[in-house]
Amino acid sequence: MPSFSTTHPVNHSARDMYDLVADVERYPQFLPLCEALTVRSRREKGGRTILIADMTVGYKAIRETFASQVLLNPEALEIQAQYLDGPFRHLDNRWRFVDVGPGRSEVHFAIDYEFRSRVLGALMGAMFEKAFARYTQAFEERADRLYGSRIS
């Protein structure tokens, strides 16, 4: 099963980075391959927010939409997305944000997935890997635009 994980240092607080990643409706504005994202439902439970969201990803002529349940845990500064429906056999995505100094944090990003179709996996697999490698960078660039670039 393909997987990708990284820990990326950023010059923004863990709270700022958490808030940015938790704002899923804005992903189409800056996230590689993300063409649309719609939140179908949102509910609060025990200090956490549970979203059901549809995300459309595309590359050239290929478009796929999948549904995920997203668990936002602001107290722990963690976000977990679990696959519900679409072109995958499995998809699990986790974010964790840790302050490492004043105005600095580490973004921990991990994803593992498997397409249902081997053909789709062959077509999209390499593209997904390149996009995932850029995800934390895309969020950092967005944070720089929203919160200002901070040099340490």
Side-chain angles (χ1 to χ4, degrees):
M1 182 169 3
S3 64
F4 176 83
S5 66
T6 187
T7 298
H8 187 78
V10 296
N11 291 318
H12 300 283
S13 72
R15 171 62 57 195
D16 283 350
M17 294 306 295
Y18 169 87
D19 290 343
L20 193 138
V21 175
D23 190 9
V24 299
E25 289 96 341
R26 301 229 190 269
Y27 286 9
Q29 296 175 10
F30 67 94
L31 198 59
L33 300 182
C34 181
E35 295 187 352
L37 195 141
T38 304
V39 174
R40 282 196 263 160
S41 68
R42 179 185 309 259
R43 66 183 170 97
E44 302 294 321
K45 183 176 181 181
R48 299 175 182 172
T49 302
I50 301 168
L51 310 174
I52 303 297
D54 294 322
M55 183 176 191
T56 300
V57 295
Y59 178 69
K60 296 188 179 182
I62 300 171
R63 302 281 174 285
E64 292 289 342
T65 299
F66 62 94
S68 295
Q69 175 178 283
V70 181
L71 175 62
L72 305 174
N73 186 340
E75 186 176 318
L77 297 177
E78 294 178 347
I79 298 170
Q80 180 179 358
Q82 293 183 323
Y83 176 71
L84 296 175
D85 186 44
F88 297 96
R89 180 170 285 124
H90 168 81
L91 183 135
D92 185 39
N93 176 213
R94 296 173 187 266
W95 294 86
R96 190 167 52 89
F97 308 88
V98 180
D99 281 315
V100 295
R104 295 177 40 241
S105 65
E106 290 180 340
V107 176
H108 299 264
F109 172 79
I111 190 164
D112 60 82
Y113 64 98
E114 182 179 5
F115 286 99
R116 287 188 200 279
S117 160
R118 288 186 186 179
V119 172
L120 186 60
L123 289 170
M124 295 287 283
M127 260 305 300
F128 265 52
E129 289 178 25
K130 287 178 185 175
F132 295 146
R134 276 222 0 98
Y135 269 24
T136 53
Q137 182 181 347
F139 282 100
E140 181 179 17
E141 290 169 1
R142 174 106 173 132
D144 287 348
R145 283 192 303 278
L146 293 177
Y147 308 128
S149 182
R150 298 179 187 146
I151 307 296
S152 59

